Amino acid sequence: CEAFSTGGAVLAAGASDGTVRVWTAAVGSRPVGKCSLAGHSDWACCVAWSPDGKTLAHASKDGSVRLWTRDGKQKGTLKGHTGRVYSV
């Protein structure tokens, strides 16, 4: 799953290794790797930006949702699901 931030300047994509990779994606330029967000023990299934583009949420098959700032600082982990989380 991939998601562009509001305005389309940043792209985030979940991966089967449990990470989410974030790139700058300005129009007319080549995408540049910004950071890699780790912490899930299973596939990072879905990513979504908050409406203001300041927070990234990603769901995982490990049953958690992690929240990050646009600059790659973890804000928190939401736990409690007994099964896999496929969307946010």
Side-chain angles (χ1 to χ4, degrees):
C1 178
E2 304 84 25
F4 281 97
S5 65
T6 304
V10 181
L11 173 66
S16 61
D17 65 0
T19 63
V20 172
R21 290 180 178 78
V22 181
W23 295 272
T24 58
V27 174
S29 68
R30 185 175 179 188
V32 175
K34 190 170 183 176
C35 60
S36 180
L37 310 175
H40 287 299
S41 60
D42 203 340
W43 191 296
C45 303
C46 186
V47 295
W49 291 95
S50 62
D52 64 6
K54 293 181 180 180
T55 302
L56 176 67
H58 54 91
S60 173
K61 288 184 177 181
D62 70 7
S64 69
V65 174
R66 293 183 183 264
L67 303 174
W68 301 83
T69 67
R70 188 177 177 126
D71 296 324
K73 295 179 182 146
Q74 189 168 0
K75 293 177 78 170
T77 302
L78 307 175
K79 297 180 181 181
H81 290 281
T82 57
R84 298 172 173 177
V85 182
Y86 288 103
S87 65
V88 287

